[in-house]
Amino acid sequence: MRIRTAALALTLLGSFPALSACGIRGTAVPVDAGGAPSRASCVARPDPSAAAGLATVTVQLECASQLVPVTRRVSLPDKPDDAAVVAGALLDELRKVPSGEEADAGLITVVPQRLTIAGPRPGDPAGTLRLSREPGELPQVALAQVVCSLVGTAAADGRSTVILGGPGDTRPLSFGCTEEMRTHPDTADISGTTVP
């Protein structure tokens, strides 16, 4: 009788872990639940100490594997409507190391520090901007940052696409900023299209 009682007690004890489980059933089928949750807020307020009279621009920084619009206050040189001047100001902001508050929010930039931008060369399509590196040679996320920061601004003449070339003789291509580029800049298709 004692042996039977001991066996029953062991059986009951063995079932307690199952009874105390969280209620989520295991599965043999892999389930993609997305990336791990991030503690980064991805939100940084504009610097209130910025001097009055500065222009407000928006650039795209990376946070939690996505592009996030960040507002900056900058001093634009003369000719604020000149595409190359605006593009240069935006690129300066993209190259800049994020402020302490931006870094605390999880915001980063991967745009190369030495990357520069200039206007078109003779024979280029109208509105072309020339980078100091071929667009296709830039890190994927950096190219997404540049494209999505330039489209819709005076740098792209307000268009939803921007024409980018490199330092060589390769024909410039037209790039648009898609939702996929904003949400998955590391894997999105960022191949440009030929300009007519």
Side-chain angles (χ1 to χ4, degrees), residues 34-81:
S38 169
R39 293 179 182 271
S41 70
C42 299
V43 176
R45 295 184 306 275
D47 184 1
S49 66
L54 297 181
T56 300
V57 298
T58 301
V59 292
Q60 301 289 328
L61 300 185
E62 186 186 12
C63 183
S65 300
Q66 300 180 65
L67 294 188
V68 178
V70 176
T71 302
R72 298 261 182 86
R73 303 274 291 169
V74 301
S75 175
L76 286 178
D78 294 336
K79 301 183 181 178
D81 294 329

Side-chain angles (χ1 to χ4, degrees), residues 44-45 61 70-72 97-108:
R45 295 184 306 275
L61 300 185
V70 176
T71 302
R72 298 261 182 86
V97 176
S99 67
E101 183 178 351
E102 290 171 346
D104 289 344
L107 296 160
I108 63 169

Side-chain angles (χ1 to χ4, degrees), residues 134-182:
E134 293 294 337
E137 294 177 0
L138 289 173
Q140 172 102 353
V141 175
L143 180 57
Q145 282 186 259
V146 170
V147 170
C148 290
S149 294
L150 296 180
V151 296
T153 70
D157 198 23
R159 295 186 305 266
S160 60
T161 58
V162 61
I163 303 171
L164 296 176
D169 295 327
T170 307
R171 183 111 178 125
L173 298 174
S174 177
F175 296 86
C177 178
T178 64
E179 186 61 25
E180 185 185 6
M181 284 169 63
R182 292 181 186 278

